[in-house]
């Protein structure tokens, strides 16, 4: 089993740009794993939610070593999540970003923050998510950045 954090998340280095690097990084991971002495050259991939998307992205790379995928609750086309009929869904994007990206990015990008202050910032972020409708209806949105 190989577990990989996407670029710029958790223990992985680099800058995270959602839905951008997963295609190339997935192809690199498949190629690397298929060459390992413990691998028979046949790869399977599995993921839930965002990792389900990364599973689809790996499949899109076309490496024949990838023999099976089992994406669960993950979009095969992330544009369906954030655009409806060609219109950008600001509310969906804000909610997803705050909920899925915000807490980890706060911790990752601000290692200099003392634990007590970090906890307070995380609590404010969670409160903003809990009152998402009120936050999203407030203008300007910039004040929440």
């Amino acid at each position: 089993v190989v577990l990989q954090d996407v670029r710029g998340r958790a223990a992985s280095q680099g800058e995270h740009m959602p839905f951008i690097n997963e295609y190339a990084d997935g192809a690199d991971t498949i190629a690397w794993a298929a060459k390992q002495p413990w691998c028979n050259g046949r790869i399977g991939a599995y993921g839930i939610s965002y990792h389900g998307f990364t599973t689809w992205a790996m499949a899109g790379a076309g490496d024949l070593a990838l023999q099976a995928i089992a994406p669960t609750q993950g979009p095969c086309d992330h544009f369906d999540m954030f655009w409806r009929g060609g219109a950008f869904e600001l509310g969906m994007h804000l909610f997803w970003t705050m909920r899925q990206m915000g807490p980890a990015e706060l911790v990752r990008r601000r290692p200099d923050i003392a634990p007590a202050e970090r906890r307070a910032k995380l609590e404010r972020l969670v409160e903003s998510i809990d009152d998402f409708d009120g936050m999203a209806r407030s203008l300007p949105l910039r004040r929440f950045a």
Side-chain angles (χ1 to χ4, degrees):
V1 173
V2 174
L3 299 175
Q4 176 185 0
D5 295 321
V6 297
R7 187 184 307 198
R9 299 289 285 173
S12 187
Q13 296 179 349
E15 183 177 350
H16 185 236
M17 298 174 61
F19 304 105
I20 302 296
N21 297 311
E22 288 74 11
Y23 299 91
D25 291 352
D28 288 347
T29 300
I30 292 169
W32 174 83
K35 294 176 185 172
Q36 299 307 304
W38 40 259
C39 182
N40 66 4
R42 297 172 57 198
I43 307 291
Y46 167 74
I48 299 172
S49 191
Y50 191 83
H51 300 125
F53 163 74
T54 62
T55 302
W56 283 111
M58 291 171 80
D63 191 317
L64 297 179
L66 185 62
Q67 298 283 305
I69 64 171
T72 302
Q73 299 175 339
C76 61
D77 181 355
H78 68 279
F79 287 102
D80 287 344
M81 283 177 45
F82 298 124
W83 281 267
R84 182 172 298 177
F88 182 61
E89 296 241 9
L90 178 62
M92 175 61 179
H93 192 303
L94 283 173
F95 183 77
W96 184 85
T97 301
M98 286 179 64
R99 187 151 179 95
Q100 301 302 322
M101 312 294 288
E105 286 302 304
L106 177 63
V107 170
R108 181 181 173 83
R109 292 179 183 263
R110 296 298 309 270
D112 58 313
I113 297 177
E117 184 182 351
R118 180 179 300 141
R119 181 176 175 87
K121 287 183 178 289
L122 287 169
E123 286 173 359
R124 282 196 304 276
L125 180 61
V126 169
E127 288 170 8
S128 294
I129 294 168
D130 287 346
D131 184 30
F132 178 75
D133 286 339
M135 187 276 306
R137 295 180 198 288
S138 298
L139 295 175
L141 292 174
R142 180 179 316 194
R143 73 178 173 182
F144 292 99

